Amino acid sequence: MEAIVLAAGYSSRANAFKMTLPLGQITVLEQTISKFEGLCSRVIVVTGFQAELIEEELARISRKKTYSFQMKSVYNENFNQGMFRSIQKGVSEINAPTFFITPGDCPVVKKETLQILKEHLGHVGIPSFHCKGGHPIKLSSDVKQKILETNPESNLRMVLNGFEKQYIDVDDPGVIMDVDTPEDYQKAIDYYDKAIFGF
């Protein structure tokens, strides 16, 4: 199994480049990537805006030798034309029959959630918390093919509408938490501190 992490966006609402903001002892991006340890053989990070900062961060993560999966970054030269082009760029690198896909700013998902998703056998598995779908999602090679065949002006939702989607209830508010704004970032810090330290 492999994973795609989307890290090409502008962070325009975050007032900072959110991927390299600290969360605990590591960055938002590494928190997101770290959850795939032991579940994926390879993590593909799609870069765009501030690609050089992401490359530096990935190099730093690699030097730690903390993770057993391979990491590969791919640059989406059309990152300013929407997220679907980044998705297509990442999906074109996938070799495994199934894969996860997540934005890079979803750092507080529980690893147990990914383990549950990995067992899911359908084409589209979406974690759900209190009836609200979130990330990461798990997709099959059939979905991969459809993504690659779809007009770049489209979006992932349109592609997934052609498949039976299964929502998997999880006890994990992290699946619907991202770091779009400074307020979101503070919520992620508070949630992380409570989960780790109990306060």
Side-chain angles (χ1 to χ4, degrees):
M1 186 152 189
E2 296 176 320
I4 297 168
V5 175
L6 303 168
Y10 283 111
S11 301
S12 52
R13 288 191 287 160
N15 295 346
F17 188 58
K18 59 190 176 184
M19 297 299 169
T20 51
L21 288 171
L23 183 60
Q25 300 298 308
I26 56 179
T27 61
V28 166
L29 181 61
E30 187 175 351
Q31 287 284 5
T32 301
I33 289 172
S34 69
K35 306 302 192 305
F36 298 114
E37 174 59 27
L39 298 172
C40 293
S41 59
R42 200 161 66 119
V43 175
I44 296 148
V45 180
V46 183
T47 68
F49 181 67
Q50 298 280 32
E52 62 287 345
L53 280 181
I54 298 287
E55 294 286 355
E56 286 170 17
E57 172 65 4
L58 294 177
R60 188 191 63 75
I61 295 168
S62 294
R63 284 196 297 273
K64 291 165 65 175
K65 295 185 166 45
T66 305
Y67 307 111
S68 60
F69 51 71
Q70 290 181 309
M71 271 192 301
K72 177 175 183 179
S73 68
V74 290
Y75 179 67
N76 173 23
E77 59 280 357
N78 297 308
F79 70 88
N80 60 334
Q81 295 175 30
M83 188 184 285
F84 191 61
R85 288 177 184 265
S86 290
I87 291 170
Q88 287 181 314
K89 192 81 175 182
V91 164
S92 68
E93 298 286 337
I94 290 290
N95 299 320
T98 57
F99 60 99
F100 292 114
I101 187 164
T102 186
D105 67 341
C106 294
V108 292
V109 173
K110 293 177 183 175
K111 185 150 184 185
E112 296 82 359
T113 296
L114 296 187
Q115 289 165 332
I116 292 165
L117 278 172
K118 186 172 182 179
E119 301 304 313
H120 172 260
L121 298 176
H123 287 299
V124 181
I126 302 171
S128 172
F129 180 72
H130 290 179
C131 301
K132 187 174 180 184
H135 297 283
I137 59 175
K138 183 193 173 193
L139 303 174
S140 70
S141 54
D142 285 5
V143 181
K144 166 192 164 176
Q145 200 53 44
K146 188 66 179 172
I147 288 170
L148 293 176
E149 291 168 0
T150 298
N151 187 313
E153 305 297 318
S154 188
N155 57 60
L156 186 59
R157 180 173 287 132
M158 293 292 290
V159 172
L160 298 186
N161 282 343
F163 294 88
E164 182 183 351
K165 296 190 282 285
Q166 288 187 280
Y167 288 87
I168 300 146
D169 291 325
V170 292
D171 182 20
D172 183 1
V175 301
I176 56 171
M177 293 174 70
D178 55 18
V179 183
D180 273 345
T181 66
E183 293 75 25
D184 293 337
Y185 177 48
Q186 188 56 53
K187 278 185 199 166
I189 291 172
D190 294 344
Y191 177 82
Y192 179 84
D193 286 347
K194 189 171 182 183
I196 299 297
F197 304 114
F199 58 75

